[in-house]
Amino acid sequence: MLIKFDADGKIEPKGKITHIRSDPESQEIIDQFLAKGDWLHLPSIPLPAVAVRDKDGRVVIEDGKVKKEVPGYTTPIATHDFHMVVDGNVVERPTLPAGDVEIKADGKDTYTLDGLPRPCVISVDGEPYEVKGGVLHFATKDAGTYVFEAGFPFVDWRVNVVAK
């Protein structure tokens, strides 16, 4: 499998997977893609070898050993929605906790997200906020519903925080 990703962050965010395609027919073509610098090759993974059996179902023995063969290959998992490229490796995109939340509208009770990448952007009611320290604390004295959202590098995420 060949993965195209934004290697420098000029068009899409850096590491974002933009295209996934099957392996071409030859190593020469794979090498041409890789030479561009924004493609990554994930070779197929052989399935575990199994014993070869004859037409009657008996195990075939050759040179005193059970003859084995690889029955096929599997493709590594890589998706646009749940993976990205970091340091030449396909990794899972970070996820944020799901589920709407309720807090008191007293200016003290908080909705907290911690363990965030440094820095990252979380939007509140469509307004982006850069979180530099890895933790977001939200408190308000104004009752209402606040929509929190995040996109890449996170798996797309949306939570309503209801302040009562």
Side-chain angles (χ1 to χ4, degrees), residues 103-109 138-144 146 163-164:
I103 63 172
K104 295 176 187 170
D106 61 4
K108 295 178 186 173
D109 194 16
F138 173 78
T140 183
K141 291 184 178 182
D142 298 323
Y146 299 86
K164 291 186 174 185

Side-chain angles (χ1 to χ4, degrees), residues 97-149:
D100 293 346
V101 177
E102 189 174 296
I103 63 172
K104 295 176 187 170
D106 61 4
K108 295 178 186 173
D109 194 16
T110 62
Y111 171 60
T112 302
L113 288 172
D114 56 10
L116 299 172
R118 298 175 188 198
C120 68
V121 175
I122 302 290
S123 293
V124 180
D125 291 339
E127 185 71 31
Y129 292 95
E130 184 175 16
V131 180
K132 294 181 182 178
V135 179
L136 174 129
H137 297 286
F138 173 78
T140 183
K141 291 184 178 182
D142 298 323
T145 300
Y146 299 86
V147 180
F148 285 69
E149 296 176 290

Side-chain angles (χ1 to χ4, degrees), residues 79-84 91-99 111-117 120-122 134 148-159:
T79 66
H80 296 87
D81 294 332
F82 298 104
H83 297 89
M84 63 186 191
V91 300
E92 291 184 355
R93 289 169 55 183
T95 58
L96 293 169
Y111 171 60
T112 302
L113 288 172
D114 56 10
L116 299 172
C120 68
V121 175
I122 302 290
F148 285 69
E149 296 176 290
F152 191 85
F154 299 104
V155 171
D156 292 347
W157 171 81
R158 181 183 177 128
V159 165

Side-chain angles (χ1 to χ4, degrees), residues 30-127:
I30 292 172
D31 292 342
Q32 289 173 2
F33 276 100
L34 296 178
K36 296 177 182 181
D38 58 352
W39 286 85
L40 179 68
H41 183 232
L42 297 180
S44 296
I45 302 165
L47 295 173
V50 295
V52 175
R53 298 187 178 270
D54 64 18
K55 65 179 178 163
D56 297 321
R58 292 184 294 250
V59 173
V60 174
I61 306 292
E62 281 185 356
D63 299 326
K65 295 181 182 176
V66 174
K67 183 178 179 180
K68 293 190 175 191
E69 67 182 1
V70 174
Y73 294 83
T74 185
T75 304
I77 297 173
T79 66
H80 296 87
D81 294 332
F82 298 104
H83 297 89
M84 63 186 191
V85 177
V86 176
D87 297 328
N89 297 300
V90 173
V91 300
E92 291 184 355
R93 289 169 55 183
T95 58
L96 293 169
D100 293 346
V101 177
E102 189 174 296
I103 63 172
K104 295 176 187 170
D106 61 4
K108 295 178 186 173
D109 194 16
T110 62
Y111 171 60
T112 302
L113 288 172
D114 56 10
L116 299 172
R118 298 175 188 198
C120 68
V121 175
I122 302 290
S123 293
V124 180
D125 291 339
E127 185 71 31

